[in-house]
Amino acid sequence: MASSSTRFLILVAAASLLASFARAELQYDFYNTSCPGVETVVRDALNATFAADSTIRSGLLRFHFHDCFVRGCDASIMLQSHNGTAEKDANPNLTLRGYEVIEAIKAKVEAVCPLVVSCADIMAMAARDAVYFSEGPDYQVETGRRDGNVSMMEEALSDLPPANGNVSVLTKFFAVKNLTIKDLVVLSAAHTIGVSHCPSFSHRVYNYTGVGDEDPSMEAEYGQSLNASCGGLDNVATVVPLDAVTTEKFDLGYYQSVHAGKGLLQSDDALRHDSLTGAYVGVMSNASSPDTFFADFVVSMINMGRIGALTGTDGEIRKTCGIYVD
């Protein structure tokens, strides 16, 4: 039987092959002629935004993820519904942040290049810059996406990976998007920045098996601190850092937290209990440099950014991102 490391390498190779099929017509420097300097416009605007509120960086990274996993990276998360039936109205998206930021940047871009740059591409750039300004890697973003005009709440409910999923479940959610188990363990580390509301994990603290117990795999003192912070199952107002080591720095702290039994969400903790993802967590938690993780993260972000991309004459370029669809 092949070793865990051998199987992992096979999966990595498969990831590269799948990504090549999913690339569609995205390309680097897509706007070099039609809107030169657009990425500078976006980065400068975000630099000012982050100076006023550093916590929005993690929000924009999560925003891009939630958009891409439902109908692809088409900015459909920005669309609104008078009837409350759009993606943004689904329960997993109710705590998303970034709508106003993306809309403000879109207005700046429209002022220099009307009806040229998509909201979806701005979201991808914003996610990249959120990582960069959190001391993470800088990288080129493939662009050329166009925006979708369909947004359905039920698709968000069915397509977003669950916060309480194990690796077997999560792998299936990623596989249908042409993402692999390596993309799963790498992209999960976006949780190295940001926070989570107590109801997303409080069952692990107060009612893990339905009899008022705590998840026994959780590090004891960490569980006690979560108990003290949340004070009960349904405390929506309180948030807890997803990374117990470094809360606002893009680094290896997430893997160190997970490896030590301090993964906040059940989906985070699950990574250390699987032979493949656990091997990666172990290596990264003890790495002397984040360079390998950074390189892996860039690849996985590019892979995710290719999901369901609308290009060519598909979709649209609209003046405003958050229009109503009904």
Side-chain angles (χ1 to χ4, degrees):
M1 180 178 293
S3 66
S4 294
S5 59
T6 300
R7 285 184 287 146
F8 200 82
L9 289 172
I10 292 171
L11 287 167
V12 172
S16 299
L17 181 61
L18 285 169
S20 67
F21 291 139
R23 185 165 187 173
E25 299 168 36
L26 298 180
Q27 58 187 270
Y28 297 113
D29 302 319
F30 180 83
Y31 297 109
N32 265 7
T33 302
S34 58
C35 190
V38 61
E39 295 200 32
T40 300
V41 173
V42 172
R43 179 163 287 189
D44 287 348
L46 285 170
N47 193 19
T49 298
F50 297 154
D53 179 11
S54 63
T55 67
I56 195 62
R57 297 182 308 218
S58 60
L60 289 170
L61 185 53
R62 182 181 179 220
F63 205 36
H64 182 48
F65 180 95
H66 278 234
D67 180 52
C68 289
F69 263 73
V70 184
R71 301 192 72 84
C73 309
D74 66 346
S76 55
I77 188 64
M78 295 287 296
L79 296 171
Q80 303 187 69
S81 165
H82 290 104
N83 299 318
T85 57
E87 288 173 33
K88 67 182 296 183
D89 301 306
N91 189 62
N93 290 333
L94 295 180
T95 56
L96 286 181
R97 301 175 64 207
Y99 296 98
E100 296 83 1
V101 174
I102 298 300
E103 205 69 81
I105 295 173
K106 173 65 169 173
K108 290 180 181 295
V109 172
E110 283 295 305
V112 294
C113 302
L115 297 178
V116 173
V117 182
S118 68
C119 301
D121 277 342
I122 291 173
M123 291 180 69
M125 295 176 204
R128 183 267 315 276
D129 290 346
V131 171
Y132 171 68
F133 282 111
S134 300
E135 301 182 53
D138 196 6
Y139 58 95
Q140 275 194 289
V141 172
E142 291 181 336
T143 45
R145 299 171 189 81
R146 290 167 64 85
D147 297 326
N149 52 22
V150 176
S151 185
M152 296 186 286
M153 179 173 64
E154 59 266 30
E155 291 185 340
L157 293 173
S158 64
D159 289 8
L160 288 170
N164 63 350
N166 59 32
V167 170
S168 177
V169 169
L170 296 172
T171 300
K172 292 175 182 176
F173 276 84
F174 275 64
V176 297
K177 305 300 179 183
N178 283 339
L179 298 176
T180 69
I181 194 169
K182 183 171 184 181
D183 293 315
L184 164 62
V185 70
V186 171
L187 291 174
S188 293
H191 288 172
T192 192
I193 56 175
V195 298
S196 180
H197 294 259
C198 287
S200 295
F201 60 85
S202 56
H203 69 286
R204 299 186 64 211
V205 181
Y206 302 106
N207 199 31
Y208 186 61
T209 63
V211 292
D213 55 338
E214 180 181 293
D215 183 348
S217 69
M218 189 183 303
E219 196 274 333
E221 290 186 6
Y222 184 59
Q224 292 170 9
S225 71
L226 295 179
N227 193 325
S229 296
C230 292
L233 277 168
D234 302 316
N235 182 359
V236 180
T238 299
V239 295
V240 174
L242 286 157
D243 178 345
V245 178
T246 51
T247 59
E248 289 194 25
K249 183 178 180 182
F250 200 92
D251 58 11
L252 297 171
Y254 170 80
Y255 292 116
Q256 293 162 0
S257 296
V258 171
H259 191 255
K262 299 179 181 179
L264 185 62
L265 304 181
Q266 190 167 328
S267 57
D268 294 323
D269 184 65
L271 297 177
R272 69 187 176 107
H273 299 294
D274 177 84
S275 62
L276 295 177
T277 58
Y280 191 88
V281 169
V283 170
M284 290 301 112
S285 68
N286 290 294
S288 59
S289 165
D291 290 352
T292 297
F293 162 53
F294 282 4
D296 289 342
F297 189 80
V298 168
V299 171
S300 289
M301 283 293 285
I302 292 170
N303 289 344
M304 185 181 76
R306 295 169 176 167
I307 298 174
L310 300 175
T311 58
T313 58
D314 293 334
E316 63 185 9
I317 305 294
R318 52 181 179 264
K319 182 177 181 179
T320 304
C321 299
I323 63 172
Y324 282 88
V325 293
D326 56 20

